[in-house]
Amino acid sequence: GRNGCEPDDFNGRTVSLANDIDFGETGLNYCFSPIGTRETPFLGTFDGNGYRIMHLWQVYSRYVSDYHYYFDMGFFGYIRHAVVRNVTIDPTSGIGSSANDVDYYRGGVVGFADSLSIVENCHISNSIGIHSYGGGVIGMNRNSTVRNCSCGGPNNSLGSPEEAGGVVAFNRSEAGYADAIVENCYFYGRVDPSYSTWYLGGLVCYNETVTNDNGKRAIVRNCHSTPTSDFWSYKEYG
């Protein structure tokens, strides 16, 4: 948080990035935990101003080696009623988990975007591997909007034991609260399936409307996916 000690939800505040951030600089040993948790969600606005965040997942590989199954993971872990925009991340490592615990989600920018959040103009570039319960940009987009975002690069790969999406893993409109929207987004990269792979989506793995009482629904529109390899899995894929 702002005092350097206690969590802060940044409600009503805007944070703007003013420089590139490189977590992989020689000789530096950063420890970074995702911004926002389910206990203290990020509620503010974050503007990356087009600066780059590099080697972030190298930090995660150290930080979460013992207990990485047990929280939402991304540059932001959990956001609610928030705006995240103009973020470019060069991760050069993998997103996701091999754990059988779908209660937690992984995304290159946001693990879990909830309740009227907006994630826009965010991009994952260079090399990234997307694994279980992971999305290239967002793990879970619930009752929120993802637009003008991309995950693409010559070394990108989408491959998973189960349930992964090139841009969003789970796009869910729930309880008639709000539409869940993925629009104007794209994925470009290699697909690495196997006979142990279940449920892959070049853009979105699951697009689902749950308990629709108010005409709200899960929507994917004006998007495209360009796989650079064969696309198949043991179970459903698309």
Side-chain angles (χ1 to χ4, degrees):
R2 286 174 290 135
N3 66 5
C5 299
E6 298 172 340
D8 192 310
D9 60 19
F10 288 87
N11 190 14
R13 294 179 176 273
T14 297
V15 180
S16 296
L17 198 62
N19 296 284
D20 290 341
I21 299 175
D22 188 353
F23 288 98
E25 292 181 58
T26 303
L28 298 179
N29 188 24
Y30 292 107
C31 184
F32 178 85
S33 57
I35 301 167
T37 64
R38 299 192 186 193
E39 293 74 23
T40 308
F42 179 79
L43 302 174
T45 295
F46 182 89
D47 192 332
N49 284 319
Y51 289 105
R52 301 178 68 84
I53 300 167
M54 296 170 282
H55 302 101
L56 179 61
W57 289 83
Q58 292 181 11
V59 182
Y60 286 152
S61 67
R62 294 194 294 268
Y63 178 72
V64 302
S65 58
D66 295 327
Y67 50 91
H68 65 289
Y69 301 156
Y70 304 114
F71 54 84
D72 304 298
M73 194 162 64
F75 183 62
F76 290 87
Y78 191 97
I79 67 174
R80 189 172 69 223
H81 303 300
V83 177
V84 176
R85 62 166 66 105
N86 304 324
V87 175
T88 299
I89 294 180
D90 181 354
T92 65
S93 188
I95 287 176
S97 164
S98 59
N100 290 319
D101 192 345
V102 76
D103 290 334
Y104 297 92
Y105 302 92
R106 318 290 188 257
V109 179
V110 179
F112 198 130
D114 202 5
S115 302
L116 302 176
S117 291
I118 297 174
V119 179
E120 60 185 358
N121 196 31
C122 293
H123 307 284
I124 297 293
S125 63
N126 206 341
S127 175
I128 188 169
I130 307 168
H131 308 298
S132 290
Y133 316 130
V137 178
I138 293 180
M140 166 65 79
N141 183 60
R142 184 169 69 180
N143 301 327
S144 298
T145 297
V146 185
R147 61 190 178 213
N148 305 328
C149 294
S150 69
C151 177
N155 297 314
N156 270 19
S157 66
L158 172 63
S160 162
E162 51 189 301
E163 300 172 314
V167 176
V168 175
F170 298 82
N171 187 53
R172 180 178 298 162
S173 175
E174 191 168 338
Y177 181 76
D179 291 330
I181 301 172
V182 179
E183 61 184 0
N184 306 329
C185 296
Y186 76 86
F187 169 80
Y188 167 78
R190 192 176 71 248
V191 180
D192 294 323
S194 71
Y195 283 106
S196 63
T197 299
W198 294 13
Y199 311 116
L200 293 179
L203 288 163
V204 176
C205 183
Y206 288 95
N207 186 60
E208 55 186 351
T209 300
V210 182
T211 316
N212 181 7
D213 297 326
N214 297 317
K216 305 300 182 181
R217 57 199 177 105
I219 301 167
V220 179
R221 61 191 176 202
N222 301 328
C223 297
H224 70 272
S225 175
T226 306
T228 59
S229 64
D230 291 339
F231 201 163
W232 60 276
S233 79
Y234 176 68
K235 289 192 176 180
E236 287 83 350
Y237 63 95

